[in-house]
Amino acid sequence: MNNFKHNEISITDYEGSGPPLIFIHAFPLCNRMWDEQVNFFKDRFRVITYDARGLGYSNEIRSHQFTMEDHVNDLFDVMDHLKLQKVNACGLSMGGYILLRALVREQSRFNTAVLAGTKSEGESNESLLLRSGHLAQIRSGKKDWFLDEMLKRLISEESYGNEEIRSRVRTILGWMNEIGICANILAIATRTNTFYQLRDIKIPTLVVVGRKDMMTPVIHSFYLKENLPDAEFEVIEGAGHLCNIDKPSEFNAALEKFLLKH
């Protein structure tokens, strides 16, 4: 395992000998949300994780003014630095936004894509106002309140009642600082609507969603599956937004089955 920083981004390369597999995490978490996937896949794939700018160990950056396009540039920069011509990539929630935009820009860099708990539609006025409210709350010293409320929506009710899972996710959330959280709220608000470009994405894609996802309900994933030309669809029963944490065995099995096909 090799952990290092490149252009302010903290990267972990597990250096397996198999095909490269990059995991792109959700907001407001870091690469540690993928621990169970790393352990499952690292012996058969060259697993790579990284912290999105402003989050995790990528929080010590020169400027906290950036956009979703900067996140996409970071993904390509990580790939270029590791000299990866083509990869398999899995993005969840914000990670899915990053991956979708990367596919629109340069799908030839990807063998396969996994889009989990994410959507292609842009921000609505309602969601923009909600994000503005979250910024005001965090800036007024209510970061912990914001994260506690986020926790209830990130995992299923069943997982919320599980002390080990709830504590694990809350601990990861607690590592994030106010500046990085606010910067990423604004970055998410700058993402583009990729819905009308889905039919141009020709590579094999797996769309995964938790049945109980409150943040990105199943219908959004269904739209992805219906409009991507080469898409498979997996609904994970009992899982919430962080379906890879709520139901890791089911998530890993779905991802493994898909990757072994391609």
Side-chain angles (χ1 to χ4, degrees):
M1 183 179 78
N2 184 18
N3 183 259
F4 60 96
K5 278 195 174 183
H6 171 68
N7 287 345
E8 304 181 309
I9 301 301
S10 178
I11 305 166
T12 303
D13 181 358
Y14 290 87
E15 302 181 315
S17 59
L21 173 58
I22 294 182
F23 288 98
I24 314 165
H25 66 78
F27 168 83
L29 294 102
C30 67
N31 80 91
R32 292 296 304 277
M33 67 169 272
W34 296 115
D35 281 359
E36 294 188 69
Q37 284 67 54
V38 168
N39 291 331
F40 187 84
F41 288 104
K42 68 180 181 180
D43 294 331
R44 290 170 294 163
F45 291 84
R46 182 183 176 183
V47 172
I48 297 149
T49 63
Y50 70 95
D51 291 336
R53 62 174 52 242
L55 300 171
Y57 284 110
S58 299
N59 65 347
E60 295 178 354
I61 55 179
R62 289 185 295 273
S63 173
H64 282 85
Q65 294 179 337
F66 52 86
T67 67
M68 182 57 62
E69 209 67 7
D70 291 308
H71 276 314
V72 180
N73 292 337
D74 287 338
L75 170 59
F76 284 126
D77 192 37
V78 168
M79 292 168 60
D80 290 341
H81 181 71
L82 295 174
K83 296 180 171 57
L84 302 174
Q85 295 302 312
K86 272 198 168 188
V87 302
N88 303 287
C90 174
L92 193 151
S93 193
M94 184 182 80
Y97 301 155
I98 296 168
L99 180 53
L100 263 174
R101 177 62 185 148
L103 292 171
V104 169
R105 280 176 49 178
E106 205 169 346
Q107 65 179 294
S108 63
R109 298 291 304 274
F110 300 90
N111 286 315
T112 64
V114 179
L115 301 167
T118 196
K119 60 184 178 182
S120 59
E121 300 93 323
E123 296 284 294
S124 66
N125 287 343
E126 181 182 16
S127 63
L128 287 171
L129 290 171
L130 184 63
R131 295 194 193 285
S132 179
H134 290 158
L135 284 171
Q137 290 163 348
I138 296 167
R139 288 167 175 167
S140 68
K142 295 182 179 179
K143 184 192 85 166
D144 286 338
W145 178 88
F146 168 76
L147 294 177
D148 287 340
E149 291 301 305
M150 277 287 291
L151 179 61
K152 297 173 186 176
R153 296 169 58 79
L154 285 170
I155 56 178
S156 68
E157 186 176 349
E158 177 185 358
S159 291
Y160 192 80
N162 182 309
E163 173 63 27
E164 182 179 353
I165 296 175
R166 185 178 71 248
S167 177
R168 176 190 166 199
V169 177
R170 185 61 181 86
T171 297
I172 296 174
L173 293 173
W175 294 337
M176 309 307 138
N177 65 37
E178 295 179 7
I179 297 174
I181 292 172
C182 289
N184 275 278
I185 288 175
L186 288 172
I188 291 170
T190 69
R191 68 190 180 88
T192 59
N193 185 337
T194 55
F195 180 79
Y196 297 103
Q197 296 162 306
L198 293 176
R199 293 198 179 277
D200 297 326
I201 299 172
K202 308 295 186 181
I203 67 167
T205 307
L206 174 64
V207 179
V208 186
V209 65
R211 177 72 72 184
K212 297 182 178 180
D213 191 334
M214 292 187 290
M215 299 189 74
T216 311
V218 174
I219 188 64
H220 295 286
S221 294
F222 180 76
Y223 292 154
L224 285 175
K225 186 269 291 188
E226 287 293 286
N227 288 278
L228 287 163
D230 188 7
E232 299 177 29
F233 190 45
E234 187 78 29
V235 179
I236 300 182
E237 299 297 333
H241 191 56
L242 298 180
C243 51
N244 70 306
I245 291 177
D246 277 342
K247 299 290 181 180
S249 296
E250 291 85 344
F251 184 91
N252 291 346
L255 183 50
E256 178 184 40
K257 180 181 176 182
F258 171 73
L259 289 173
L260 291 179
K261 284 183 186 178
H262 305 285

